[in-house]
PDB file of all heavy atoms in Angstrom:
ATOM      1  N   ILE H  94      88.666  66.639 152.115  1.00 97.00           N
ATOM      2  CA  ILE H  94      89.081  65.454 152.867  1.00 97.00           C
ATOM      3  C   ILE H  94      87.819  64.666 153.207  1.00 97.00           C
ATOM      4  O   ILE H  94      86.901  65.204 153.823  1.00 97.00           O
ATOM      5  CB  ILE H  94      89.840  65.832 154.149  1.00 97.00           C
ATOM      6  CG1 ILE H  94      91.118  66.605 153.801  1.00 97.00           C
ATOM      7  CG2 ILE H  94      90.196  64.568 154.950  1.00 97.00           C
ATOM      8  CD1 ILE H  94      91.884  67.108 155.010  1.00 97.00           C
ATOM      9  N   GLU H 115      91.755  50.794 156.178  1.00 96.00           N
ATOM     10  CA  GLU H 115      91.714  51.147 157.601  1.00 96.00           C
ATOM     11  C   GLU H 115      92.845  52.110 157.953  1.00 96.00           C
ATOM     12  O   GLU H 115      93.997  51.910 157.560  1.00 96.00           O
ATOM     13  CB  GLU H 115      91.828  49.882 158.452  1.00 96.00           C
ATOM     14  CG  GLU H 115      91.652  50.136 159.936  1.00 96.00           C
ATOM     15  CD  GLU H 115      91.678  48.860 160.756  1.00 96.00           C
ATOM     16  OE1 GLU H 115      91.765  47.761 160.142  1.00 96.00           O
ATOM     17  OE2 GLU H 115      91.613  48.956 161.990  1.00 96.00           O
ATOM     18  N   GLY H 116      92.499  53.133 158.683  1.00 96.00           N
ATOM     19  CA  GLY H 116      93.489  54.128 159.098  1.00 96.00           C
ATOM     20  C   GLY H 116      93.797  55.176 158.041  1.00 96.00           C
ATOM     21  O   GLY H 116      94.666  56.017 158.233  1.00 96.00           O
ATOM     22  N   LYS H 117      93.061  55.139 156.932  1.00 97.00           N
ATOM     23  CA  LYS H 117      93.293  56.092 155.843  1.00 97.00           C
ATOM     24  C   LYS H 117      92.037  56.916 155.588  1.00 97.00           C
ATOM     25  O   LYS H 117      90.941  56.604 156.052  1.00 97.00           O
ATOM     26  CB  LYS H 117      93.665  55.342 154.559  1.00 97.00           C
ATOM     27  CG  LYS H 117      94.927  54.492 154.671  1.00 97.00           C
ATOM     28  CD  LYS H 117      96.157  55.301 154.389  1.00 97.00           C
ATOM     29  CE  LYS H 117      97.383  54.409 154.274  1.00 97.00           C
ATOM     30  NZ  LYS H 117      98.587  55.166 153.894  1.00 97.00           N
ATOM     31  N   GLU H 118      92.209  57.985 154.820  1.00 97.00           N
ATOM     32  CA  GLU H 118      91.099  58.779 154.328  1.00 97.00           C
ATOM     33  C   GLU H 118      91.459  59.302 152.944  1.00 97.00           C
ATOM     34  O   GLU H 118      92.621  59.218 152.524  1.00 97.00           O
ATOM     35  CB  GLU H 118      90.769  59.925 155.288  1.00 97.00           C
ATOM     36  CG  GLU H 118      91.902  60.895 155.529  1.00 97.00           C
ATOM     37  CD  GLU H 118      91.610  61.865 156.665  1.00 97.00           C
ATOM     38  OE1 GLU H 118      90.562  61.734 157.316  1.00 97.00           O
ATOM     39  OE2 GLU H 118      92.452  62.753 156.907  1.00 97.00           O
ATOM     40  N   PHE H 119      90.485  59.846 152.256  1.00 97.00           N
ATOM     41  CA  PHE H 119      90.713  60.326 150.894  1.00 97.00           C
ATOM     42  C   PHE H 119      90.972  61.830 150.918  1.00 97.00           C
ATOM     43  O   PHE H 119      90.236  62.590 151.559  1.00 97.00           O
ATOM     44  CB  PHE H 119      89.517  60.029 149.997  1.00 97.00           C
ATOM     45  CG  PHE H 119      89.286  58.563 149.740  1.00 97.00           C
ATOM     46  CD1 PHE H 119      88.099  57.954 150.123  1.00 97.00           C
ATOM     47  CD2 PHE H 119      90.259  57.793 149.114  1.00 97.00           C
ATOM     48  CE1 PHE H 119      87.877  56.614 149.879  1.00 97.00           C
ATOM     49  CE2 PHE H 119      90.049  56.439 148.874  1.00 97.00           C
ATOM     50  CZ  PHE H 119      88.863  55.849 149.253  1.00 97.00           C
ATOM     51  N   LEU H 120      92.007  62.242 150.192  1.00 98.00           N
ATOM     52  CA  LEU H 120      92.301  63.658 150.000  1.00 98.00           C
ATOM     53  C   LEU H 120      92.109  63.971 148.514  1.00 98.00           C
ATOM     54  O   LEU H 120      92.782  63.398 147.657  1.00 98.00           O
ATOM     55  CB  LEU H 120      93.734  63.979 150.430  1.00 98.00           C
ATOM     56  CG  LEU H 120      94.237  65.387 150.108  1.00 98.00           C
ATOM     57  CD1 LEU H 120      93.413  66.441 150.853  1.00 98.00           C
ATOM     58  CD2 LEU H 120      95.717  65.530 150.444  1.00 98.00           C
ATOM     59  N   VAL H 145     101.563  64.645 146.973  1.00 98.00           N
ATOM     60  CA  VAL H 145     101.121  65.228 148.252  1.00 98.00           C
ATOM     61  C   VAL H 145     102.166  64.926 149.321  1.00 98.00           C
ATOM     62  O   VAL H 145     102.635  63.786 149.435  1.00 98.00           O
ATOM     63  CB  VAL H 145      99.754  64.648 148.666  1.00 98.00           C
ATOM     64  CG1 VAL H 145      99.427  65.017 150.120  1.00 98.00           C
ATOM     65  CG2 VAL H 145      98.654  65.159 147.747  1.00 98.00           C
ATOM     66  N   THR H 147     102.917  65.295 153.490  1.00 97.00           N
ATOM     67  CA  THR H 147     102.364  65.600 154.809  1.00 97.00           C
ATOM     68  C   THR H 147     103.063  64.758 155.862  1.00 97.00           C
ATOM     69  O   THR H 147     103.369  63.585 155.631  1.00 97.00           O
ATOM     70  CB  THR H 147     100.833  65.361 154.853  1.00 97.00           C
ATOM     71  OG1 THR H 147     100.328  65.805 156.121  1.00 97.00           O
ATOM     72  CG2 THR H 147     100.473  63.916 154.642  1.00 97.00           C
ATOM     73  N   ASN H 148     103.356  65.370 157.022  1.00 94.00           N
ATOM     74  CA  ASN H 148     104.007  64.673 158.144  1.00 94.00           C
ATOM     75  C   ASN H 148     105.292  63.955 157.715  1.00 94.00           C
ATOM     76  O   ASN H 148     105.604  62.865 158.193  1.00 94.00           O
ATOM     77  CB  ASN H 148     103.045  63.659 158.778  1.00 94.00           C
ATOM     78  CG  ASN H 148     101.848  64.325 159.413  1.00 94.00           C
ATOM     79  OD1 ASN H 148     101.927  65.446 159.897  1.00 94.00           O
ATOM     80  ND2 ASN H 148     100.703  63.650 159.390  1.00 94.00           N
ATOM     81  N   ASN H 150     106.003  62.571 154.908  1.00 97.00           N
ATOM     82  CA  ASN H 150     105.816  61.486 153.937  1.00 97.00           C
ATOM     83  C   ASN H 150     105.235  62.034 152.641  1.00 97.00           C
ATOM     84  O   ASN H 150     104.554  63.070 152.631  1.00 97.00           O
ATOM     85  CB  ASN H 150     104.882  60.406 154.500  1.00 97.00           C
ATOM     86  CG  ASN H 150     105.463  59.735 155.732  1.00 97.00           C
ATOM     87  OD1 ASN H 150     106.597  59.266 155.723  1.00 97.00           O
ATOM     88  ND2 ASN H 150     104.689  59.685 156.806  1.00 97.00           N
ATOM     89  N   TYR H 152     102.947  61.134 149.081  1.00 97.00           N
ATOM     90  CA  TYR H 152     101.902  60.238 148.580  1.00 97.00           C
ATOM     91  C   TYR H 152     101.629  60.550 147.115  1.00 97.00           C
ATOM     92  O   TYR H 152     101.433  61.724 146.741  1.00 97.00           O
ATOM     93  CB  TYR H 152     100.619  60.395 149.405  1.00 97.00           C
ATOM     94  CG  TYR H 152     100.838  60.072 150.867  1.00 97.00           C
ATOM     95  CD1 TYR H 152     101.254  61.064 151.757  1.00 97.00           C
ATOM     96  CD2 TYR H 152     100.684  58.777 151.349  1.00 97.00           C
ATOM     97  CE1 TYR H 152     101.488  60.773 153.090  1.00 97.00           C
ATOM     98  CE2 TYR H 152     100.912  58.482 152.680  1.00 97.00           C
ATOM     99  CZ  TYR H 152     101.314  59.472 153.547  1.00 97.00           C
ATOM    100  OH  TYR H 152     101.560  59.185 154.867  1.00 97.00           O
ATOM    101  N   TYR H 189      93.955  60.983 146.573  1.00 97.00           N
ATOM    102  CA  TYR H 189      95.087  60.368 147.270  1.00 97.00           C
ATOM    103  C   TYR H 189      94.571  59.673 148.530  1.00 97.00           C
ATOM    104  O   TYR H 189      93.625  60.146 149.163  1.00 97.00           O
ATOM    105  CB  TYR H 189      96.120  61.422 147.671  1.00 97.00           C
ATOM    106  CG  TYR H 189      96.724  62.172 146.505  1.00 97.00           C
ATOM    107  CD1 TYR H 189      96.059  63.270 145.944  1.00 97.00           C
ATOM    108  CD2 TYR H 189      97.945  61.791 145.956  1.00 97.00           C
ATOM    109  CE1 TYR H 189      96.597  63.961 144.877  1.00 97.00           C
ATOM    110  CE2 TYR H 189      98.493  62.484 144.894  1.00 97.00           C
ATOM    111  CZ  TYR H 189      97.824  63.564 144.351  1.00 97.00           C
ATOM    112  OH  TYR H 189      98.358  64.242 143.284  1.00 97.00           O
ATOM    113  N   GLU H 190      95.209  58.583 148.871  1.00 97.00           N
ATOM    114  CA  GLU H 190      94.947  57.927 150.154  1.00 97.00           C
ATOM    115  C   GLU H 190      96.010  58.405 151.136  1.00 97.00           C
ATOM    116  O   GLU H 190      97.202  58.191 150.934  1.00 97.00           O
ATOM    117  CB  GLU H 190      95.004  56.402 150.013  1.00 97.00           C
ATOM    118  CG  GLU H 190      93.871  55.809 149.201  1.00 97.00           C
ATOM    119  CD  GLU H 190      93.981  54.293 149.091  1.00 97.00           C
ATOM    120  OE1 GLU H 190      94.913  53.710 149.698  1.00 97.00           O
ATOM    121  OE2 GLU H 190      93.155  53.700 148.375  1.00 97.00           O
ATOM    122  N   VAL H 191      95.566  59.056 152.206  1.00 97.00           N
ATOM    123  CA  VAL H 191      96.487  59.622 153.196  1.00 97.00           C
ATOM    124  C   VAL H 191      96.068  59.156 154.588  1.00 97.00           C
ATOM    125  O   VAL H 191      94.939  58.698 154.784  1.00 97.00           O
ATOM    126  CB  VAL H 191      96.486  61.163 153.127  1.00 97.00           C
ATOM    127  CG1 VAL H 191      97.032  61.641 151.789  1.00 97.00           C
ATOM    128  CG2 VAL H 191      95.087  61.716 153.365  1.00 97.00           C
ATOM    129  N   PRO H 192      96.939  59.250 155.583  1.00 97.00           N
ATOM    130  CA  PRO H 192      96.571  58.837 156.952  1.00 97.00           C
ATOM    131  C   PRO H 192      95.430  59.689 157.501  1.00 97.00           C
ATOM    132  O   PRO H 192      95.293  60.867 157.183  1.00 97.00           O
ATOM    133  CB  PRO H 192      97.865  59.058 157.751  1.00 97.00           C
ATOM    134  CG  PRO H 192      98.950  59.053 156.735  1.00 97.00           C
ATOM    135  CD  PRO H 192      98.366  59.623 155.494  1.00 97.00           C
ATOM    136  N   GLU H 193      94.617  59.086 158.337  1.00 97.00           N
ATOM    137  CA  GLU H 193      93.525  59.820 158.985  1.00 97.00           C
ATOM    138  C   GLU H 193      94.077  60.970 159.831  1.00 97.00           C
ATOM    139  O   GLU H 193      95.105  60.848 160.479  1.00 97.00           O
ATOM    140  CB  GLU H 193      92.720  58.887 159.888  1.00 97.00           C
ATOM    141  CG  GLU H 193      91.824  57.922 159.155  1.00 97.00           C
ATOM    142  CD  GLU H 193      91.027  57.059 160.112  1.00 97.00           C
ATOM    143  OE1 GLU H 193      91.427  56.959 161.302  1.00 97.00           O
ATOM    144  OE2 GLU H 193      90.018  56.471 159.693  1.00 97.00           O
ATOM    145  N   GLY H 194      93.343  62.073 159.816  1.00 95.00           N
ATOM    146  CA  GLY H 194      93.669  63.177 160.716  1.00 95.00           C
ATOM    147  C   GLY H 194      94.787  64.081 160.251  1.00 95.00           C
ATOM    148  O   GLY H 194      95.359  64.810 161.073  1.00 95.00           O
ATOM    149  N   ILE H 195      95.127  64.078 158.963  1.00 96.00           N
ATOM    150  CA  ILE H 195      96.182  64.981 158.509  1.00 96.00           C
ATOM    151  C   ILE H 195      95.731  66.425 158.679  1.00 96.00           C
ATOM    152  O   ILE H 195      94.527  66.729 158.659  1.00 96.00           O
ATOM    153  CB  ILE H 195      96.588  64.707 157.053  1.00 96.00           C
ATOM    154  CG1 ILE H 195      95.424  65.049 156.091  1.00 96.00           C
ATOM    155  CG2 ILE H 195      97.070  63.293 156.860  1.00 96.00           C
ATOM    156  CD1 ILE H 195      95.845  65.117 154.639  1.00 96.00           C
ATOM    157  N   SER H 196      96.692  67.326 158.833  1.00 97.00           N
ATOM    158  CA  SER H 196      96.380  68.744 158.986  1.00 97.00           C
ATOM    159  C   SER H 196      96.646  69.467 157.669  1.00 97.00           C
ATOM    160  O   SER H 196      97.753  69.381 157.131  1.00 97.00           O
ATOM    161  CB  SER H 196      97.236  69.362 160.092  1.00 97.00           C
ATOM    162  OG  SER H 196      97.131  70.777 160.065  1.00 97.00           O
TER     163      SER H 196
END
Side-chain angles (χ1 to χ4, degrees):
I94 299 176
E115 186 176 356
K117 300 274 189 176
E118 60 190 4
F119 293 119
L120 172 63
V145 168
T147 186
N148 295 329
N150 297 308
Y152 300 88
Y189 299 83
E190 291 180 3
V191 295
E193 286 182 341
I195 67 166
S196 168

